[in-house]
Amino acid sequence: MLIGLIANPISSKDIRRLTGLARVVDAEEKANLLARLLVGLGSHPEVTVLALDDRAGLVRRAVSLAGDSAPRVDFLPITATGEESDTKRAAAHLAGLMADALVTLGGDGTVRAAVEGWPEAPLVPIAAGTNNASALTLEPTVIGLATVAGVKSQDPSVFVPTTALQVDISTGHATAVIDVVSVRGRWLGAGALWEPELLMEAVATSADPTAVGIASVSAGMGPLAPGRARWIRFGPGQTVKAIFGPGLVLDVAVAEHSDLPIGSEVTLDVAGGVVALDGERRIVTGGSRVRVVPGPRVLDPDRALRVKGPLPLARPSSRK
Amino acid sequence: MDIPSEHLVDMYETMVKIRRYEERIREIYFEDKLPAFDIAAGLIPGEMHLSAGQEPVAVGVRPHLKAGDAITATHRPHHIAIAQGVDLKRMTAEIFGRETGLGKGKGGHMHLFSVEPNFGCSGIIAEGMPVAVGAGLAFKRRGTDNVALSFFGDGAANQGAFHESLNLAAIWDLPVVFICEDNAYAISVPKTASTAIADNSDRASAYGIPGVLVANNDPVAVYEVAGEAIARARSGRGPSLIEVKTDRLWGHFEGDADAYRSDEFKEAMAERDALVTFGQKLVAEGVLTDSDIEAIKERMFGEVEDAISFAISSPYPEPEGALVDVFA
Amino acid sequence: MTITTDRKLTTQKAIAEAIALEMEADDTVLLMGEDIGVYGGIFGATEGLLDRFGPERVMDTPISETGFIGAAVGAAINGLRPIAELMFVDFFGVCMDQIYNNMAKIHYFSGGNVKVPMVLMTAVGGGYSDAGQHSQTLWGTFAHLPGMKVVVPSNPYDAKGLMTSAIRDDNPVLYMFHKGVLGLGWMTNNPRATGAVPSESYEVPIGEAAIAREGDDLTVVTVGLSVHRALDAAEMLEDKGISAEVLDLRSLVPLDRDKIAESVGKTHRLLVVDEDYQSFGMTGEVIATVVERAFDHLDAPPMRVATPDTPIPYSRPLEQFALPSAERIVEAAQQLVSA
């Protein structure tokens, strides 16, 4: 069983540490989370982990911390530069090897880059970023165990299909897994979005009321059927109280919205030329086309651990 | 945050000025020292530590400063002094050891002191950090809304004074922004061999203050983060730490063979030279045209030459001058 | 000099009073150090100041000498007049860079454009078995390094006046107060630690020595607690028919070389007494000064009584042997006058 692993050493260290009550996950904590993940993955003898050797040595540190409980860990033939492209390249490489699962450690940005490299990845995103709308926040040991159980079960329902967004930007296509938002102001700077008055339009893949960010705004418009995304135009109209970021509850004004099925397309007004993909700004030229497409298949740890099968550690299903 | 184009242009101009300055200082430094390098010879004797490549950290901070804000810097101070607006003629005269220098020739390149703007630097690693804390204390006690910025390198983050300074600024809740220029090397020792953790910005949490990583040498990223940190300090919300991964394009000192950094490492730095990429971006975004850039170069190069001419044509101090200014 | 008051204070209280008067008159004066607030200073030099001026002006610091002494430098550059206390001079090892490389040199490096008006006050001296890391005087080390004034009061009147001058001086001043001259109730009783002190503000000029006792047969040059020992010795010597002049330097930087030369010009014999280590220090400096300026006035080679070049020992007989005593001064003086 081949499990891919990509850990992002720079997630959760950005300007949002100054502007809000963002989660602070330092390198030691990340190595610790990874070590616990490895212990979970090491629960089955057949597991081999193929990891990106990140610039901060997080995975190496985790292997050392986990000791004998870790599975075998090899490293991808990729030299990490510390840029986001490392994640994308690593994911693409793992796609080529048809890894059984792709575990990421980081925030929404990390997940997005991984999905760009491997669009239909069987994804296990562990939360260690400022915004973790898409990632799992369970104990990593459990996530490791659930990953192994889920892959072993060969039950496709264990990896839940999601929706993603394909966006045209000046350098080609890009993928977003949470949302695409068009934003006033051209300069990328620290790359993080945190001011609601800059928003023009958005497409969100979720209306989960427990989520943080644009999804929280979207939740204010009611539930979203599976396989759909929601388009929003900001402006005077309905006021939604949304959890805009960690520790940040704001009133956001929504002028219009409509739901979009997979396969549909919408063009966002990008006056001034910046879209934010899962919270990170990218410069575009002209308008921006957004296509709703199938997204990654994300592990449901609960389901994975309840499935029937030969794995001694899996618990019997109580469902009929 | 949308950045006014005047700030972007000003930042770029300042980067051009800094780079040209460092290049000219480098040229002059070597002029009379070769062929057999004699460190004491020439128009600029002694050691020289140049900041080519580290411009973004200095200029990103610049638009947020106001009169009276205090900056303390290191043995590699030129980019910061220039960005803060220290008198370039008097600074250059000081580097050339002339009577008209900031310190009448008594300080030299590592000990540049200016009253307005409020700038000081030091040849001892991390020595300026407690001084910035003290400036912050003075501002707070005097009731001004000035801030103190403490610049230091990745090497300094392992010195006791770093830890003491962050703790003091935190416990006294002072308007200080600590800025780590991580160029990955302390002279020849890479950070991976000296520092137990990957990012010094993580050390902030040990002192209960926010720490932010600017992962690339981008003046606009520095501008945004520094803007937030400085505004925070100015409004009484306390100190913070910013770490910027920057590039020291040249050796630690002039004359350094720099053999401890690989050619690949140096080529990679040259390829991502922020002075080049920022200029390209400004042109691509229509903020500047190619002829604007030429005009900026001409003006900035001219300012640098004026400063150098002023220094060269200034008299040396009288030798007996060595005995005065010990005490006020 | 004559002091026209009957009011008597210990040196410790005189120091605290000086600081209080200056803090009252000038709200840029700020005090910081370990245990200087709530505790009033380990040696009481800042007693009562926290209650009077509050925690924003009287700051108990963490154990971060580099941090807070460097902060005092920064504050002094930026409009305040800080007084930082280094609890024991022996602790200078952890923060010396900020003292001698930073505080002392910024004025010079800036060509006189930047001033550092701060006082670094510190407790010095032994004789009560506090052992090798809590008993040193070390003024020779600091006086040797350019850029800081160094004052060492021996009595309550000078202690108050020198502190006032130190605070008002626009230069960094190292104010070294000997624990044995403070008049603390928990130290061996010392009658010379109490004296007349006017209640109003006054200055004792920095850089001026004072004749503590006039005499004709030899000049004893010294500072700090050794002034008391020299005065005791002078009384003993008087019974033996020897008239000793005791010159209390009061400042080591600037050093009042004129007065030293003048006194030796009168007595023709020099005995230097120093509680600091003998070699490479104050005694050598004073003797060199006299040899340079008043060689022809000397009737005998100069002598010195100092702490030997050994760490200061703990056990009482060992320590009492090492530190300059009145007896050693008497013996040396007798040798000197018969030479």
Side-chain angles (χ1 to χ4, degrees):
Chain A
M1 190 189 304
L2 181 65
I3 309 287
L5 176 57
I6 302 171
N8 181 359
I10 67 173
S11 68
S12 94
K13 291 173 191 271
D14 65 36
I15 196 173
R16 285 168 291 180
R17 278 186 173 175
L18 283 172
T19 57
L21 298 170
R23 181 171 182 191
V24 175
V25 188
D26 64 24
E28 274 306 288
E29 177 66 8
K30 285 180 187 168
N32 199 288
L33 293 170
L34 287 168
R36 282 140 63 191
L37 165 76
L38 288 175
V39 171
L41 291 174
S43 63
H44 198 281
E46 279 176 28
V47 171
T48 298
V49 173
L50 185 55
L52 173 68
D53 195 3
D54 65 274
R55 191 190 48 85
L58 294 175
V59 177
R60 289 188 184 275
R61 181 124 177 82
V63 169
S64 149
L65 286 171
D68 292 334
S69 310
R72 173 174 158 169
V73 177
D74 293 326
F75 290 101
L76 289 162
I78 291 177
T79 307
T81 60
E83 306 274 323
E84 186 188 87
S85 55
D86 293 345
T87 301
K88 183 173 169 178
R89 278 188 300 144
H93 196 110
L94 289 161
L97 295 172
M98 299 206 299
D100 296 300
L102 170 55
V103 183
T104 62
L105 181 99
D108 298 336
T110 311
V111 171
R112 199 193 54 70
V115 169
E116 232 169 50
W118 187 357
E120 291 113 49
L123 193 64
V124 184
I126 299 183
T130 311
N131 260 9
N132 299 284
S134 60
L136 302 169
T137 52
L138 292 176
E139 164 56 34
T141 323
V142 174
I143 295 175
L145 226 72
T147 302
V148 169
V151 169
K152 195 80 183 148
S153 75
Q154 297 184 324
D155 177 349
S157 72
V158 157
F159 283 89
V160 178
T162 65
T163 318
L165 303 168
Q166 208 173 67
V167 190
D168 290 342
I169 60 171
S170 49
T171 51
H173 299 302
T175 305
V177 291
I178 316 280
D179 49 49
V180 176
V181 189
S182 65
V183 186
R184 271 176 254 283
R186 288 187 70 80
W187 285 88
L188 291 180
L193 177 69
W194 70 96
E195 289 160 63
E197 53 273 13
L198 298 180
L199 307 177
M200 292 195 287
E201 293 179 48
V203 181
T205 60
S206 150
D208 178 354
T210 69
V212 170
I214 301 291
S216 177
V217 178
S218 169
M221 264 107 258
L224 185 63
R228 287 183 175 251
R230 176 165 289 154
W231 167 79
I232 294 169
R233 185 170 65 77
F234 297 94
Q238 181 186 356
T239 301
V240 172
K241 194 173 281 294
I243 303 165
F244 204 72
L248 203 57
V249 181
L250 294 166
D251 290 326
V252 181
V254 175
E256 262 187 273
H257 63 93
S258 74
D259 290 358
L260 309 168
I262 286 187
S264 59
E265 205 176 88
V266 68
T267 299
L268 297 187
D269 175 15
V270 193
V274 182
V275 292
L277 307 179
D278 295 342
E280 297 193 9
R281 287 174 288 176
R282 295 282 180 280
I283 287 183
V284 299
T285 47
S288 186
R289 263 193 318 200
V290 180
R291 254 177 307 281
V292 184
V293 299
R297 296 172 290 123
V298 180
L299 181 76
D300 178 345
D302 188 81
R303 200 173 258 221
L305 288 168
R306 287 182 199 280
V307 80
K308 270 196 280 246
L311 195 71
L313 293 161
R315 291 164 214 154
S317 174
S318 58
R319 299 209 186 109
K320 298 283 183 250
Chain B
M1 157 193 321
D2 201 13
I3 303 167
S5 53
E6 312 89 72
H7 285 181
L8 295 167
V9 172
D10 176 67
M11 281 161 48
Y12 178 71
E13 285 184 358
T14 311
M15 287 175 74
V16 170
K17 179 156 56 172
I18 292 168
R19 182 65 61 89
R20 176 65 177 174
Y21 190 82
E22 302 295 66
E23 282 168 352
R24 286 291 288 130
I25 293 290
R26 180 186 229 198
E27 267 169 30
I28 295 168
Y29 181 79
F30 280 109
E31 254 166 31
D32 302 326
K33 288 186 183 60
L34 299 173
F37 186 82
D38 175 359
I39 193 172
L43 286 170
I44 305 176
E47 288 187 87
M48 179 50 60
H49 309 90
L50 297 173
S51 61
Q54 296 183 203
E55 296 90 351
V57 195
V59 307
V61 155
R62 172 179 159 92
H64 307 296
L65 300 173
K66 63 179 261 203
D69 285 347
I71 292 187
T72 64
T74 70
H75 55 280
R76 195 181 309 284
H78 299 170
H79 55 317
I80 299 166
I82 292 173
Q84 200 196 7
V86 170
D87 184 321
L88 198 61
K89 289 181 175 165
R90 294 184 65 209
M91 172 174 149
T92 311
E94 184 62 27
I95 292 168
F96 281 64
R98 307 300 168 111
E99 175 70 36
T100 51
L102 286 169
K104 300 178 195 157
K106 292 180 201 183
H109 128 88
M110 287 192 282
H111 312 105
L112 300 167
F113 288 91
S114 163
V115 177
E116 267 170 43
N118 186 345
F119 178 86
C121 64
S122 164
I124 302 291
I125 299 298
E127 195 186 67
M129 298 187 71
V131 178
V133 172
L137 176 65
F139 298 150
K140 188 169 176 174
R141 287 291 179 269
R142 287 168 42 214
T144 77
D145 69 346
N146 287 114
V147 301
L149 304 186
S150 165
F151 284 83
F152 58 96
D154 47 281
N158 294 317
Q159 184 78 235
F162 165 92
H163 301 274
E164 291 191 28
S165 299
L166 263 64
N167 183 64
L168 274 183
I171 187 106
W172 289 343
D173 199 22
L174 297 178
V176 184
V177 180
F178 296 99
I179 302 172
C180 179
E181 298 184 86
D182 180 354
N183 58 28
Y185 282 84
I187 309 189
S188 68
V189 177
K191 186 159 151 244
T192 47
S194 72
T195 306
I197 57 172
D199 297 316
N200 282 306
S201 45
D202 281 348
R203 284 179 154 160
S205 64
Y207 305 102
I209 66 176
V212 178
L213 173 63
V214 177
N216 42 34
N217 199 21
D218 173 5
V220 178
V222 176
Y223 174 98
E224 287 211 325
V225 176
E228 203 57 50
I230 290 171
R232 202 186 132 89
R234 235 188 257 301
S235 62
R237 284 175 292 139
S240 55
L241 170 63
I242 302 173
E243 175 183 22
V244 183
K245 304 290 183 193
T246 191
D247 288 329
R248 190 193 84 198
L249 289 177
W250 304 338
H252 166 71
F253 56 90
E254 290 312 300
D256 179 4
D258 200 1
Y260 47 84
R261 297 192 300 176
S262 70
D263 289 336
E264 293 77 50
F265 184 92
K266 291 180 229 182
E267 273 152 27
M269 282 198 298
E271 260 158 52
R272 59 174 184 252
D273 186 342
L275 177 61
V276 173
T277 58
F278 189 45
Q280 286 169 346
K281 205 188 286 192
L282 290 173
V283 169
E285 289 309 310
V287 178
L288 289 174
T289 63
D290 284 325
S291 72
D292 286 333
I293 301 233
E294 284 315 304
I296 287 171
K297 279 188 181 159
E298 206 179 302
R299 245 182 329 110
M300 294 298 110
F301 286 24
E303 280 188 39
V304 168
E305 280 323 296
D306 285 347
I308 291 171
S309 304
F310 174 79
I312 289 179
S313 62
S314 289
Y316 278 98
E318 287 303 315
E320 295 73 31
L323 301 176
V324 301
D325 293 324
V326 176
F327 291 120
Chain C
M1 69 156 302
T2 26
I3 304 161
T4 53
T5 178
D6 291 331
R7 178 177 179 261
K8 291 216 185 342
L9 285 186
T10 58
T11 301
Q12 171 252 320
K13 290 204 190 304
I15 295 172
E17 186 169 271
I19 299 173
L21 286 168
E22 286 309 290
M23 287 183 76
E24 193 77 53
D26 181 352
D27 64 10
T28 67
V29 179
L30 171 139
L31 183 57
M32 63 169 92
E34 295 160 10
D35 302 286
I36 51 91
V38 172
Y39 200 96
I42 295 300
F43 298 101
T46 54
E47 187 182 53
L49 299 176
L50 174 63
D51 283 343
R52 200 151 148 200
F53 297 102
E56 298 215 330
R57 293 185 70 193
V58 178
M59 301 170 71
D60 274 327
T61 63
I63 305 176
S64 305
E65 284 81 355
T66 286
F68 71 78
I69 290 175
V73 174
I77 292 171
N78 286 281
L80 298 184
R81 300 188 82 90
I83 305 170
E85 186 182 91
L86 175 63
M87 190 192 277
F88 283 76
V89 72
D90 315 64
F91 300 168
F92 84 89
V94 304
C95 58
M96 188 53 159
D97 181 68
Q98 288 294 337
I99 297 172
Y100 95 106
N101 246 352
N102 208 16
M103 179 187 86
K105 293 183 183 169
I106 285 177
H107 186 258
Y108 187 81
F109 286 163
S110 69
N113 290 313
V114 177
K115 297 202 176 88
V116 186
M118 66 181 266
V119 177
L120 180 60
M121 61 189 283
T122 185
V124 309
Y128 61 103
S129 281
D130 214 353
Q133 293 174 342
H134 291 76
S135 303
Q136 297 167 100
T137 49
L138 298 177
W139 38 65
T141 300
F142 292 94
H144 177 66
L145 300 163
M148 51 187 144
K149 297 189 179 177
V150 179
V151 303
V152 187
S154 70
N155 59 75
Y157 181 87
D158 287 343
K160 178 172 170 179
L162 281 172
M163 177 55 88
T164 306
S165 297
I167 294 171
R168 293 179 185 177
D169 200 315
D170 280 346
N171 293 290
V173 179
L174 180 58
Y175 183 98
M176 309 179 89
F177 55 94
H178 197 297
K179 304 158 206 163
V181 311
L182 293 179
L184 296 174
W186 49 272
M187 287 214 170
T188 307
N189 184 51
N190 177 357
R192 299 192 192 274
T194 303
V197 179
S199 55
E200 69 276 7
S201 230
Y202 61 91
E203 291 183 43
V204 165
I206 294 176
E208 275 186 33
I211 308 277
R213 181 189 169 112
E214 281 188 19
D216 302 300
D217 297 334
L218 72 147
T219 300
V220 183
V221 178
T222 188
V223 283
L225 181 63
S226 299
V227 173
H228 300 200
R229 302 281 180 257
L231 290 170
D232 292 344
E235 279 169 15
M236 284 150 60
L237 286 165
E238 192 166 18
D239 291 342
K240 299 179 198 294
I242 297 171
S243 162
E245 176 149 294
V246 178
L247 182 64
D248 178 356
L249 290 174
R250 305 199 295 187
S251 295
L252 292 172
V253 178
L255 182 63
D256 193 348
R257 299 176 201 274
D258 287 344
K259 228 191 218 91
I260 297 170
E262 191 188 308
S263 175
V264 173
K266 184 178 80 164
T267 67
H268 308 295
R269 286 167 206 268
L270 172 66
L271 172 61
V272 194
V273 181
D274 186 10
E275 193 180 314
D276 200 356
Y277 303 114
Q278 173 161 301
S279 300
F280 298 94
M282 180 207 136
T283 56
E285 186 58 39
V286 173
I287 291 172
T289 295
V290 168
V291 165
E292 285 166 353
R293 292 178 181 224
F295 181 73
D296 293 331
H297 292 281
L298 287 170
D299 286 347
M303 288 181 68
R304 49 185 174 172
V305 171
T307 299
D309 301 331
T310 71
I312 296 169
Y314 158 73
S315 175
R316 189 160 179 81
L318 295 178
E319 190 190 27
Q320 292 303 305
F321 175 81
L323 300 185
S325 59
E327 288 73 23
R328 274 173 72 193
I329 297 172
V330 166
E331 196 185 311
Q334 286 176 306
Q335 249 188 285
L336 185 57
V337 300
S338 60

